[in-house]
Amino acid sequence: MSPPSPDLPSELLEEIFLRFPPDEPAWLVRASLANKFWLGLLSGHGFRGRYHEFHGDPPMIGFVYFPSSDPVPPLVSTTNFSARYPEDWGSHKYSVWDCRHGRVLLQDEDMPPDRFFVWDPMTGRRKDLYALAECFSLGAAVLCAVNGCDHRACHEGPFQVVFIGVNQSSGGCFVDVFFPETVEWSKSPSHLQVWSEPCSSLHLVSHDAFIEVVPPVLIQDTLYFMLAYDHDEHAEILKYDMISNSLSLHDAPPALARDSIHMTMKDGGLGFAHIVDLNLYLWSRQVGSNGDASWTQYRVIDLKKLVPIQNTDIRLQLVGSVEGRNTIFVTIDLGIYEISLKSQQWKKIWKRDKFSILFPYMSFYNPPGISICHVFYD
């Protein structure tokens, strides 16, 4: 594509720049570096607001994954986006726990087990915090804390982190929820250790319950975690209502936990997917007029007719989804594939590698991140 003439009126330039694809952030970056006038136009709140509105939901511009043997938690770019890291990152080993609203929740495995931090790959900033110290199994989620936010470009705003821990005791397993006060990025070094009062414990029947290492699902003001058991390969859904600060436990479809993920459907409801042989089974949770909820299997997709599978004896694995997009990620013998459940179109996003969970990084890219960015270390 030929660059637009710098002599065009600003209104026409905006119309051209609006049509730059959101999953090619380098286009806007290069344009912003062309001259001061284009930089001012592209970095202004007016254009950025129009750009986000024009393109709707933020695109996937990369992903992080778990587990990783890399000393630096890799953000694998699926575009020309390049993540920023704090200079004091060090050579520690980090594990990924969640990725949402432009932020990544990580644990420093070389530090005490309760040491976590939130990382903004767009700017390189981080915020340290501490989670539950003594916990048999842990689930965690990071999310924007601004009411009414459209989450199109909110990675620099205040956020919350929710930790759900499963402990073992003589009375059985129970779950407590802690979350920090709403926090913002700051220039001064600080560690967050302030927790709210825990919600009432949810007592579980079995002593061997644990939270599956799969991405939590956010639907409106509710978080869903997958709960599994050592003695049984089937799963349950652990629901945390952030408004009422309450926990509840719900059944899951009759599927094996190790081959399953829960997900947010396009209509905003809770979904569930699992693979048996080379068939993908999709379930939807429906709430009746009387308030009772039940799972309905609404679709079965024969993956060998959809994606290029060379070895039909290999076990396919679901490794993640995009919230509200009807998009899943599957490992196949040739690589990692993104599959649209609506159109049944697919594309290979990366080579095959040894990881079990993929967290998509969804965000619009703002040109000032390259041209006038100051990286803060919290």
Side-chain angles (χ1 to χ4, degrees), residues 5 35-36 42 63 80 102 129 138 146 155 199 212-214 216 220 222 280 293 313 316-318 337 350-351 366 370:
S5 170
N35 56 64
K36 291 183 178 180
L42 294 174
F63 65 87
N80 288 325
L129 58 148
L138 185 67
V146 179
H155 61 95
C199 70
E212 273 281 351
V213 185
V214 296
Q220 295 180 343
T222 303
L280 174 66
D313 294 328
L316 275 62
Q317 183 180 2
L318 286 165
Y337 285 78
W350 208 39
K351 62 183 180 180
N366 296 323
I370 286 290

Side-chain angles (χ1 to χ4, degrees), residues 7 26 37 51-52 86 99 140 167 188 194 199 239 254 271 274 277 303 306 330 332 340 344 347 372:
D7 298 325
F37 178 73
Y51 188 80
H52 299 160
C99 179
N167 291 325
S188 58
V194 181
C199 70
K239 174 182 176 182
H274 69 105
D277 297 325
L303 292 177
L306 181 62
V330 180
I332 306 176
S340 169
Q344 296 198 22
K347 64 178 179 180
I372 54 175

